[in-house]
Amino acid sequence: MIPALISQVGHSAQVLPIGLHFVSLREFRNAFVFNAHRAWLFDGLKEACHDLRLAGCARIFVGGSFVTSKPDPSDYDACWDPVGVSADLEPMLYDENLRIERRNRYRGDLLIGGCDPGPAGEFFRFLSKDKMSGEERGMIGIKLKLLEIMNS
């Protein structure tokens, strides 16, 4: 369940409370896709979830302005768990030389976020902090299920 968004000093948009909040992809969509622009971004995230799941990725974490009340975030910020991911993963999903192509295809920033045994990776810690204030804020965790991705 997604907790109620809260106010944070220095921001006009409300944010998630501190912590990692696991939800289904459908719950995520229902909470954060509330206009056409967000739907367009979500379609890119959903495609990334599909491609990552096919390669064996089980979890993705989303932070940044997409998981706030901001009406028109420029993108989404996500990191994915590399545990169990096939070595023949599409290079666009991890090769920093293909960052522009990855961003154009998936419409957001996708980073590898080491998570052993929990969200301890450098990119996860980076995405859970507010860029302006440096304050910690919440993130969404999504367990990737292929059937759910295809039906969202």
Side-chain angles (χ1 to χ4, degrees):
M1 177 177 196
I2 297 174
L5 300 179
I6 60 171
S7 295
Q8 190 175 53
V9 176
H11 288 279
S12 57
Q14 292 187 310
V15 302
L16 286 167
I18 294 172
L20 177 58
H21 312 283
F22 272 96
V23 298
S24 69
L25 189 60
R26 180 166 288 152
E27 289 171 306
F28 180 84
R29 183 196 67 211
N30 291 344
F32 295 109
V33 178
F34 50 81
N35 63 33
H37 176 68
R38 282 174 162 271
W40 180 79
L41 292 173
F42 177 76
D43 286 344
L45 176 62
K46 190 168 91 167
E47 184 176 355
C49 289
H50 178 267
D51 293 352
L52 286 165
R53 185 64 201 130
L54 287 179
C57 180
R59 303 182 299 175
I60 191 166
F61 306 95
V62 186
S65 61
F66 196 86
V67 295
T68 71
S69 64
K70 184 177 181 179
D72 294 312
S74 60
D75 65 359
Y76 61 83
D77 300 308
C79 58
W80 51 273
D81 186 351
V83 174
V85 174
S86 170
D88 63 353
L89 174 68
E90 162 64 48
M92 188 184 303
L93 286 163
Y94 64 85
D95 187 337
E96 284 306 302
N97 294 317
L98 300 172
R99 183 174 185 215
I100 293 170
E101 292 88 344
R102 177 171 60 240
R103 187 171 172 80
N104 288 336
R105 178 173 178 177
Y106 298 116
R107 305 174 187 162
D109 286 328
L110 287 166
L111 307 167
I112 301 171
C115 307
D116 186 23
E122 172 187 351
F123 291 133
F124 183 94
R125 289 191 311 275
F126 173 74
L127 293 178
S128 67
K129 295 211 184 281
D130 182 81
K131 290 178 186 173
M132 303 282 223
S133 68
E135 294 290 320
E136 182 101 12
R137 61 184 186 188
M139 288 182 67
I140 294 290
I142 302 169
K143 293 180 182 175
L144 300 179
K145 297 176 182 161
L146 196 53
L147 189 57
E148 182 185 17
I149 293 166
M150 295 170 61
N151 291 320
S152 289

Coordinates of all heavy atoms in Angstrom, one line a residue, residues 63-145:
G63 N 12.1 6.4 -7.7 CA 12.2 7.6 -6.8 C 12.0 8.8 -7.6 O 11.6 8.8 -8.8
G64 N 12.5 9.9 -7.1 CA 12.5 11.2 -7.8 C 11.1 11.8 -7.9 O 10.2 11.4 -7.2
S65 N 11.0 12.8 -8.7 CA 9.7 13.6 -8.8 C 8.5 12.8 -9.3 O 7.4 13.2 -9.1 CB 9.9 14.8 -9.7 OG 10.3 14.4 -11.0
F66 N 8.7 11.6 -10.0 CA 7.6 10.8 -10.4 C 6.8 10.3 -9.3 O 5.6 10.1 -9.4 CB 8.0 9.7 -11.4 CG 6.9 9.1 -12.2 CD1 6.5 9.7 -13.4 CD2 6.2 8.1 -11.7 CE1 5.5 9.2 -14.1 CE2 5.1 7.5 -12.5 CZ 4.8 8.1 -13.6
V67 N 7.4 10.0 -8.2 CA 6.7 9.5 -7.0 C 6.3 10.6 -6.0 O 6.4 10.5 -4.8 CB 7.4 8.3 -6.3 CG1 7.5 7.1 -7.3 CG2 8.8 8.7 -5.9
T68 N 6.0 11.8 -6.6 CA 5.5 12.9 -5.8 C 4.2 13.4 -6.4 O 3.7 12.8 -7.4 CB 6.5 14.1 -5.9 OG1 6.5 14.7 -7.2 CG2 8.0 13.7 -5.5
S69 N 3.7 14.5 -5.9 CA 2.5 15.1 -6.4 C 2.7 16.0 -7.6 O 1.8 16.6 -8.1 CB 1.7 15.8 -5.3 OG 2.4 16.9 -4.8
K70 N 4.0 16.2 -8.0 CA 4.3 17.1 -9.1 C 3.6 16.7 -10.3 O 3.7 15.6 -10.8 CB 5.8 17.1 -9.3 CG 6.3 18.0 -10.4 CD 7.8 18.0 -10.5 CE 8.3 19.0 -11.5 NZ 9.8 18.9 -11.6
P71 N 2.8 17.6 -10.9 CA 2.0 17.3 -12.1 C 2.7 16.8 -13.3 O 2.3 15.9 -14.0 CB 1.2 18.5 -12.4 CG 1.3 19.4 -11.2 CD 2.6 19.0 -10.5
D72 N 3.9 17.4 -13.6 CA 4.6 17.1 -14.8 C 6.1 16.9 -14.6 O 6.9 17.7 -15.0 CB 4.4 18.3 -15.8 CG 3.0 18.4 -16.3 OD1 2.4 17.4 -16.7 OD2 2.4 19.6 -16.3
P73 N 6.4 15.8 -14.0 CA 7.8 15.5 -13.8 C 8.5 15.3 -15.2 O 7.8 14.8 -16.2 CB 7.8 14.2 -13.0 CG 6.5 13.5 -13.3 CD 5.6 14.7 -13.5
S74 N 9.7 15.6 -15.3 CA 10.4 15.5 -16.6 C 10.7 14.1 -17.0 O 10.8 13.7 -18.2 CB 11.7 16.3 -16.6 OG 12.6 15.8 -15.6
D75 N 10.8 13.2 -16.0 CA 11.0 11.8 -16.2 C 10.8 11.0 -15.0 O 10.2 11.6 -14.0 CB 12.5 11.6 -16.7 CG 13.5 11.9 -15.6 OD1 13.1 12.4 -14.5 OD2 14.7 11.8 -15.9
Y76 N 11.2 9.8 -14.9 CA 11.2 9.0 -13.7 C 12.6 8.6 -13.4 O 13.5 8.6 -14.3 CB 10.3 7.8 -13.7 CG 10.7 6.8 -14.8 CD1 11.7 5.8 -14.6 CD2 10.1 6.8 -16.1 CE1 12.1 4.9 -15.5 CE2 10.5 5.9 -17.1 CZ 11.5 5.0 -16.8 OH 11.8 4.1 -17.8
D77 N 12.9 8.3 -12.2 CA 14.3 7.9 -11.8 C 14.1 6.5 -11.2 O 13.3 6.3 -10.2 CB 14.9 8.8 -10.7 CG 15.0 10.2 -11.3 OD1 15.6 10.4 -12.4 OD2 14.6 11.2 -10.6
A78 N 14.8 5.5 -11.7 CA 14.6 4.2 -11.2 C 16.0 3.4 -11.2 O 16.9 3.8 -12.0 CB 13.7 3.4 -12.1
C79 N 16.1 2.5 -10.3 CA 17.2 1.6 -10.3 C 16.7 0.2 -10.2 O 15.6 -0.1 -9.6 CB 18.3 1.9 -9.2 SG 17.7 1.9 -7.5
W80 N 17.4 -0.8 -10.7 CA 16.9 -2.1 -10.8 C 17.9 -3.1 -10.1 O 19.1 -2.8 -10.1 CB 16.6 -2.6 -12.2 CG 17.7 -2.4 -13.2 CD1 17.9 -1.3 -14.0 CD2 18.7 -3.3 -13.6 NE1 18.9 -1.4 -14.8 CE2 19.4 -2.7 -14.6 CE3 19.0 -4.6 -13.3 CZ2 20.5 -3.3 -15.3 CZ3 20.1 -5.2 -13.9 CH2 20.8 -4.5 -14.9
D81 N 17.4 -4.1 -9.6 CA 18.2 -5.1 -8.8 C 18.8 -6.1 -9.8 O 18.2 -6.8 -10.5 CB 17.2 -5.9 -7.9 CG 17.9 -6.8 -7.0 OD1 19.1 -7.1 -7.1 OD2 17.2 -7.3 -6.0
P82 N 20.2 -6.1 -9.8 CA 20.9 -7.0 -10.8 C 20.9 -8.5 -10.4 O 21.3 -9.3 -11.2 CB 22.3 -6.4 -10.8 CG 22.5 -5.8 -9.4 CD 21.1 -5.3 -9.0
V83 N 20.5 -8.8 -9.2 CA 20.5 -10.2 -8.7 C 19.7 -11.1 -9.6 O 18.5 -10.8 -9.8 CB 20.1 -10.3 -7.2 CG1 20.0 -11.8 -6.8 CG2 21.0 -9.5 -6.3
G84 N 20.3 -12.1 -10.2 CA 19.5 -13.1 -11.0 C 19.3 -12.7 -12.4 O 18.7 -13.4 -13.2
V85 N 19.9 -11.5 -12.8 CA 19.7 -11.0 -14.2 C 20.7 -11.8 -15.1 O 21.9 -11.9 -14.8 CB 19.9 -9.5 -14.3 CG1 19.9 -9.0 -15.7 CG2 18.9 -8.8 -13.5
S86 N 20.2 -12.2 -16.3 CA 20.9 -12.9 -17.3 C 22.1 -12.1 -17.8 O 22.0 -10.9 -18.0 CB 20.0 -13.3 -18.4 OG 20.7 -13.8 -19.5
A87 N 23.2 -12.8 -18.1 CA 24.4 -12.1 -18.6 C 24.1 -11.6 -20.0 O 24.8 -10.7 -20.5 CB 25.6 -13.0 -18.7
D88 N 23.1 -12.1 -20.7 CA 22.8 -11.6 -22.1 C 21.8 -10.5 -22.1 O 21.1 -10.3 -23.1 CB 22.4 -12.7 -23.0 CG 21.2 -13.5 -22.6 OD1 20.6 -13.2 -21.5 OD2 20.7 -14.3 -23.4
L89 N 21.7 -9.7 -21.0 CA 20.8 -8.6 -20.9 C 21.0 -7.6 -22.0 O 22.2 -7.4 -22.4 CB 21.0 -7.9 -19.5 CG 20.3 -6.6 -19.3 CD1 18.8 -6.9 -19.1 CD2 20.8 -6.0 -18.0
E90 N 20.0 -7.0 -22.5 CA 20.1 -6.0 -23.6 C 21.1 -4.9 -23.1 O 20.8 -4.3 -22.0 CB 18.7 -5.4 -23.8 CG 18.7 -4.1 -24.5 CD 19.3 -4.1 -25.9 OE1 18.9 -5.0 -26.7 OE2 20.1 -3.2 -26.2
P91 N 22.2 -4.7 -23.8 CA 23.2 -3.7 -23.3 C 22.6 -2.3 -23.1 O 23.1 -1.6 -22.2 CB 24.2 -3.6 -24.5 CG 24.1 -5.0 -25.1 CD 22.6 -5.3 -25.0
M92 N 21.5 -1.9 -23.8 CA 21.0 -0.6 -23.5 C 20.5 -0.4 -22.1 O 20.5 0.7 -21.6 CB 19.8 -0.4 -24.5 CG 19.2 1.0 -24.4 SD 17.7 1.3 -25.4 CE 18.3 0.8 -27.0
L93 N 20.2 -1.5 -21.4 CA 19.8 -1.3 -20.0 C 20.9 -1.1 -19.0 O 20.6 -0.7 -17.8 CB 19.0 -2.6 -19.6 CG 17.6 -2.7 -20.3 CD1 17.0 -4.1 -20.2 CD2 16.7 -1.7 -19.6
Y94 N 22.1 -1.3 -19.4 CA 23.2 -1.1 -18.4 C 24.4 -0.3 -18.9 O 25.2 0.2 -18.2 CB 23.7 -2.4 -17.8 CG 24.3 -3.3 -18.9 CD1 25.7 -3.2 -19.2 CD2 23.5 -4.3 -19.5 CE1 26.2 -4.0 -20.1 CE2 24.1 -5.1 -20.5 CZ 25.4 -5.0 -20.8 OH 26.0 -5.8 -21.7
D95 N 24.6 -0.3 -20.2 CA 25.8 0.4 -20.8 C 25.6 1.9 -20.8 O 24.8 2.4 -21.5 CB 26.0 -0.1 -22.2 CG 27.3 0.3 -22.9 OD1 27.9 1.3 -22.4 OD2 27.7 -0.4 -23.8
E96 N 26.5 2.6 -20.0 CA 26.4 4.0 -19.9 C 26.7 4.7 -21.2 O 26.3 5.9 -21.4 CB 27.3 4.5 -18.8 CG 26.8 4.3 -17.4 CD 25.4 4.8 -17.3 OE1 25.1 6.1 -17.4 OE2 24.4 4.1 -16.9
N97 N 27.4 4.0 -22.2 CA 27.6 4.6 -23.5 C 26.3 4.7 -24.3 O 26.2 5.4 -25.3 CB 28.6 3.8 -24.3 CG 30.0 3.9 -23.7 OD1 30.4 5.0 -23.3 ND2 30.7 2.8 -23.6
L98 N 25.3 4.0 -23.8 CA 23.9 4.0 -24.5 C 22.9 4.7 -23.7 O 21.7 4.5 -23.8 CB 23.5 2.5 -24.8 CG 24.4 1.7 -25.7 CD1 24.0 0.2 -25.7 CD2 24.5 2.3 -27.1
R99 N 23.4 5.6 -22.8 CA 22.4 6.2 -21.9 C 21.4 7.1 -22.6 O 20.2 7.1 -22.2 CB 23.3 7.1 -20.9 CG 22.4 7.8 -19.9 CD 23.2 8.6 -18.9 NE 22.4 9.1 -17.9 CZ 22.6 10.3 -17.3 NH1 23.6 11.0 -17.6 NH2 21.7 10.7 -16.4
I100 N 21.8 7.8 -23.6 CA 20.8 8.6 -24.4 C 19.8 7.7 -25.0 O 18.6 8.0 -25.0 CB 21.5 9.5 -25.4 CG1 22.4 10.5 -24.6 CG2 20.5 10.2 -26.3 CD1 23.3 11.3 -25.5
E101 N 20.2 6.6 -25.7 CA 19.3 5.7 -26.3 C 18.3 5.1 -25.3 O 17.1 4.9 -25.5 CB 20.0 4.6 -27.0 CG 20.8 5.1 -28.3 CD 22.2 5.6 -28.0 OE1 22.6 5.8 -26.8 OE2 23.0 5.7 -28.9
R102 N 18.9 4.7 -24.1 CA 18.1 4.1 -23.0 C 17.0 5.1 -22.6 O 15.9 4.8 -22.4 CB 19.0 3.7 -21.9 CG 18.3 3.2 -20.7 CD 19.2 2.6 -19.6 NE 20.1 3.6 -19.1 CZ 21.4 3.4 -19.1 NH1 22.0 2.4 -19.7 NH2 22.2 4.4 -18.6
R103 N 17.4 6.3 -22.4 CA 16.5 7.4 -21.9 C 15.4 7.6 -23.0 O 14.2 7.8 -22.6 CB 17.3 8.7 -21.6 CG 16.4 9.7 -21.0 CD 17.3 10.9 -20.5 NE 16.5 12.0 -20.1 CZ 15.9 12.1 -18.9 NH1 16.0 11.1 -18.0 NH2 15.2 13.1 -18.6
N104 N 15.8 7.7 -24.2 CA 14.8 7.9 -25.3 C 13.8 6.7 -25.4 O 12.6 6.9 -25.6 CB 15.5 8.1 -26.7 CG 16.2 9.4 -26.8 OD1 15.8 10.4 -26.1 ND2 17.2 9.5 -27.6
R105 N 14.3 5.5 -25.2 CA 13.4 4.4 -25.4 C 12.5 4.2 -24.1 O 11.3 3.9 -24.3 CB 14.2 3.1 -25.6 CG 13.4 1.9 -25.6 CD 14.2 0.6 -26.0 NE 13.3 -0.5 -26.0 CZ 13.7 -1.7 -26.4 NH1 15.0 -1.9 -26.7 NH2 12.9 -2.7 -26.4
Y106 N 13.1 4.3 -23.0 CA 12.3 4.0 -21.7 C 11.8 5.3 -21.0 O 11.1 5.2 -20.0 CB 13.2 3.2 -20.8 CG 13.6 1.9 -21.4 CD1 14.9 1.6 -21.6 CD2 12.7 0.9 -21.7 CE1 15.3 0.3 -22.1 CE2 13.0 -0.3 -22.2 CZ 14.4 -0.6 -22.4 OH 14.7 -1.8 -22.9
R107 N 12.1 6.5 -21.5 CA 11.6 7.7 -21.1 C 11.9 8.1 -19.6 O 11.2 8.9 -19.0 CB 10.1 7.7 -21.2 CG 9.7 7.4 -22.6 CD 8.2 7.3 -22.8 NE 7.9 6.9 -24.2 CZ 6.8 6.3 -24.6 NH1 5.8 6.2 -23.7 NH2 6.6 6.0 -25.8
G108 N 13.0 7.5 -19.1 CA 13.4 7.9 -17.8 C 14.9 7.5 -17.5 O 15.5 7.0 -18.4
D109 N 15.3 7.7 -16.3 CA 16.7 7.3 -15.9 C 16.6 5.9 -15.3 O 16.0 5.7 -14.2 CB 17.3 8.3 -15.0 CG 17.7 9.5 -15.7 OD1 18.1 9.5 -16.9 OD2 17.7 10.6 -15.1
L110 N 17.3 4.9 -15.9 CA 17.4 3.6 -15.3 C 18.9 3.3 -14.9 O 19.8 3.4 -15.8 CB 17.0 2.5 -16.4 CG 15.5 2.5 -16.7 CD1 15.3 1.7 -18.0 CD2 14.8 1.8 -15.5
L111 N 19.1 3.0 -13.7 CA 20.4 2.7 -13.2 C 20.4 1.3 -12.5 O 19.4 0.8 -12.1 CB 20.7 3.8 -12.1 CG 20.6 5.2 -12.6 CD1 20.7 6.2 -11.4 CD2 21.7 5.6 -13.6
I112 N 21.6 0.8 -12.4 CA 21.8 -0.5 -11.7 C 21.9 -0.2 -10.2 O 22.7 0.6 -9.8 CB 23.0 -1.3 -12.2 CG1 22.9 -1.6 -13.7 CG2 23.1 -2.6 -11.4 CD1 24.2 -2.1 -14.3
G113 N 21.0 -0.8 -9.4 CA 21.0 -0.5 -8.0 C 21.3 -1.8 -7.2 O 20.4 -2.4 -6.8
G114 N 22.5 -2.1 -6.9 CA 22.9 -3.2 -6.1 C 22.0 -3.3 -4.8 O 21.9 -2.4 -4.1
C115 N 21.5 -4.5 -4.6 CA 20.5 -4.7 -3.5 C 20.8 -6.0 -2.7 O 20.0 -6.9 -2.8 CB 19.1 -4.7 -4.0 SG 18.7 -3.3 -5.0
D116 N 21.9 -6.1 -2.0 CA 22.2 -7.3 -1.4 C 22.5 -7.1 0.1 O 23.5 -6.5 0.5 CB 23.4 -7.9 -2.0 CG 23.8 -9.3 -1.5 OD1 22.9 -10.0 -1.0 OD2 24.9 -9.7 -1.7
P117 N 21.6 -7.5 1.0 CA 20.3 -8.2 0.8 C 19.2 -7.2 0.7 O 18.1 -7.5 0.4 CB 20.2 -9.0 2.1 CG 20.8 -8.2 3.1 CD 22.0 -7.5 2.4
G118 N 19.5 -5.9 0.9 CA 18.4 -4.9 0.8 C 19.0 -3.7 -0.1 O 20.1 -3.8 -0.6
P119 N 18.3 -2.7 -0.2 CA 18.7 -1.5 -1.0 C 19.9 -0.8 -0.5 O 19.8 0.1 0.3 CB 17.5 -0.6 -1.0 CG 16.3 -1.4 -0.6 CD 16.9 -2.5 0.3
A120 N 21.1 -1.4 -0.8 CA 22.3 -0.8 -0.3 C 23.2 -0.2 -1.4 O 24.3 0.3 -1.2 CB 23.1 -1.9 0.4
G121 N 22.7 -0.3 -2.7 CA 23.6 0.1 -3.8 C 23.7 1.6 -3.9 O 22.9 2.4 -3.4
E122 N 24.8 2.1 -4.5 CA 25.1 3.5 -4.6 C 23.9 4.3 -5.3 O 23.5 5.3 -4.9 CB 26.3 3.6 -5.4 CG 26.7 5.0 -5.8 CD 27.9 5.1 -6.8 OE1 28.5 4.1 -7.0 OE2 28.2 6.2 -7.3
F123 N 23.4 3.7 -6.4 CA 22.3 4.4 -7.1 C 21.0 4.5 -6.3 O 20.3 5.5 -6.3 CB 22.1 3.8 -8.5 CG 23.2 4.0 -9.4 CD1 23.7 3.0 -10.2 CD2 23.8 5.3 -9.6 CE1 24.8 3.2 -11.1 CE2 24.8 5.5 -10.5 CZ 25.3 4.5 -11.2
F124 N 20.7 3.4 -5.6 CA 19.5 3.5 -4.7 C 19.7 4.6 -3.7 O 18.7 5.4 -3.5 CB 19.4 2.1 -4.0 CG 18.1 2.1 -3.2 CD1 16.9 1.6 -3.7 CD2 18.1 2.6 -1.9 CE1 15.8 1.5 -3.0 CE2 16.9 2.5 -1.2 CZ 15.8 2.0 -1.7
R125 N 20.8 4.7 -3.0 CA 21.0 5.7 -2.0 C 20.9 7.1 -2.7 O 20.4 8.0 -2.1 CB 22.3 5.5 -1.3 CG 22.3 4.3 -0.4 CD 23.5 4.3 0.5 NE 24.8 4.4 -0.1 CZ 25.5 3.4 -0.7 NH1 25.0 2.2 -0.7 NH2 26.6 3.7 -1.3
F126 N 21.5 7.2 -3.9 CA 21.4 8.5 -4.6 C 19.9 8.9 -4.9 O 19.5 10.0 -4.7 CB 22.2 8.4 -5.9 CG 22.1 9.6 -6.8 CD1 22.7 10.8 -6.5 CD2 21.3 9.5 -8.0 CE1 22.6 11.9 -7.4 CE2 21.2 10.6 -8.8 CZ 21.8 11.8 -8.5
L127 N 19.1 8.0 -5.4 CA 17.7 8.3 -5.8 C 16.8 8.5 -4.6 O 15.8 9.1 -4.7 CB 17.2 7.1 -6.6 CG 17.8 7.0 -8.0 CD1 17.2 5.8 -8.7 CD2 17.7 8.2 -8.8
S128 N 17.2 8.0 -3.4 CA 16.4 8.2 -2.2 C 16.6 9.5 -1.5 O 16.0 9.9 -0.5 CB 16.5 7.1 -1.2 OG 17.8 7.1 -0.7
K129 N 17.5 10.4 -2.1 CA 17.7 11.7 -1.5 C 17.2 12.8 -2.4 O 17.3 12.7 -3.7 CB 19.2 11.9 -1.3 CG 19.8 10.9 -0.2 CD 20.9 11.6 0.5 CE 21.6 10.6 1.5 NZ 20.8 10.4 2.7
D130 N 16.7 13.8 -1.9 CA 16.2 14.9 -2.6 C 17.4 15.7 -3.2 O 18.3 16.0 -2.5 CB 15.3 15.8 -1.7 CG 14.8 17.0 -2.5 OD1 13.7 16.8 -3.2 OD2 15.4 18.1 -2.5
K131 N 17.3 16.0 -4.5 CA 18.4 16.6 -5.2 C 18.7 18.0 -4.7 O 19.8 18.5 -4.7 CB 18.2 16.6 -6.7 CG 18.3 15.3 -7.3 CD 18.0 15.3 -8.8 CE 18.0 13.9 -9.4 NZ 17.5 13.8 -10.7
M132 N 17.6 18.7 -4.3 CA 17.7 20.1 -3.9 C 18.2 20.2 -2.4 O 19.2 20.9 -2.1 CB 16.4 20.8 -4.0 CG 15.8 20.8 -5.4 SD 16.7 22.0 -6.4 CE 15.3 22.7 -7.2
S133 N 17.6 19.5 -1.5 CA 17.8 19.7 -0.1 C 18.8 18.6 0.5 O 19.3 18.8 1.5 CB 16.5 19.6 0.7 OG 16.0 18.3 0.6
G134 N 18.9 17.5 -0.2 CA 19.7 16.4 0.3 C 19.0 15.6 1.3 O 19.5 14.6 1.9
E135 N 17.7 15.9 1.6 CA 16.9 15.2 2.6 C 16.5 13.9 2.0 O 16.2 13.7 0.9 CB 15.6 16.0 2.9 CG 15.9 17.3 3.6 CD 16.3 17.1 5.0 OE1 15.8 16.2 5.7 OE2 17.2 17.9 5.5
E136 N 16.4 12.9 2.9 CA 15.9 11.5 2.6 C 14.4 11.6 2.3 O 13.7 12.3 3.0 CB 16.2 10.6 3.7 CG 15.8 9.2 3.5 CD 17.0 8.3 3.1 OE1 18.2 8.8 3.3 OE2 16.8 7.2 2.6
R137 N 14.0 10.8 1.3 CA 12.6 10.7 1.1 C 12.3 9.3 0.6 O 13.2 8.5 0.3 CB 12.0 11.7 0.2 CG 12.6 11.8 -1.2 CD 12.0 12.9 -1.9 NE 12.4 13.0 -3.3 CZ 12.1 13.9 -4.2 NH1 11.5 15.0 -3.8 NH2 12.5 13.9 -5.4
G138 N 11.0 8.9 0.5 CA 10.7 7.6 0.2 C 10.8 7.2 -1.2 O 11.0 8.0 -2.1
M139 N 10.9 5.9 -1.4 CA 10.9 5.3 -2.8 C 9.9 4.2 -2.8 O 9.5 3.6 -1.8 CB 12.3 4.7 -3.1 CG 13.3 5.8 -3.3 SD 15.0 5.2 -3.7 CE 14.7 4.4 -5.3
I140 N 9.5 3.8 -4.1 CA 8.6 2.7 -4.3 C 9.4 1.5 -4.8 O 10.3 1.7 -5.7 CB 7.6 3.1 -5.4 CG1 6.7 4.2 -4.9 CG2 6.8 1.9 -5.9 CD1 5.7 3.8 -3.8
G141 N 9.1 0.4 -4.3 CA 9.7 -0.9 -4.8 C 8.6 -1.7 -5.5 O 7.5 -1.7 -5.0
I142 N 8.9 -2.2 -6.6 CA 8.0 -3.0 -7.4 C 8.6 -4.4 -7.7 O 9.7 -4.4 -8.3 CB 7.6 -2.3 -8.7 CG1 7.0 -0.9 -8.5 CG2 6.6 -3.2 -9.5 CD1 6.9 0.0 -9.7
K143 N 7.9 -5.4 -7.3 CA 8.3 -6.8 -7.6 C 7.8 -7.1 -9.0 O 6.6 -7.0 -9.2 CB 7.8 -7.8 -6.6 CG 8.5 -7.6 -5.2 CD 8.0 -8.6 -4.2 CE 8.6 -8.3 -2.9 NZ 8.1 -9.1 -1.8
L144 N 8.7 -7.4 -9.9 CA 8.3 -7.5 -11.3 C 7.7 -8.9 -11.6 O 8.3 -9.9 -11.4 CB 9.5 -7.3 -12.2 CG 10.2 -5.9 -12.1 CD1 11.4 -5.8 -13.0 CD2 9.2 -4.8 -12.4
K145 N 6.4 -8.9 -12.1 CA 5.7 -10.1 -12.5 C 5.3 -9.9 -13.9 O 4.5 -8.9 -14.2 CB 4.5 -10.3 -11.5 CG 4.9 -10.5 -10.1 CD 3.8 -10.6 -9.2 CE 4.3 -10.7 -7.8 NZ 3.3 -10.4 -6.8

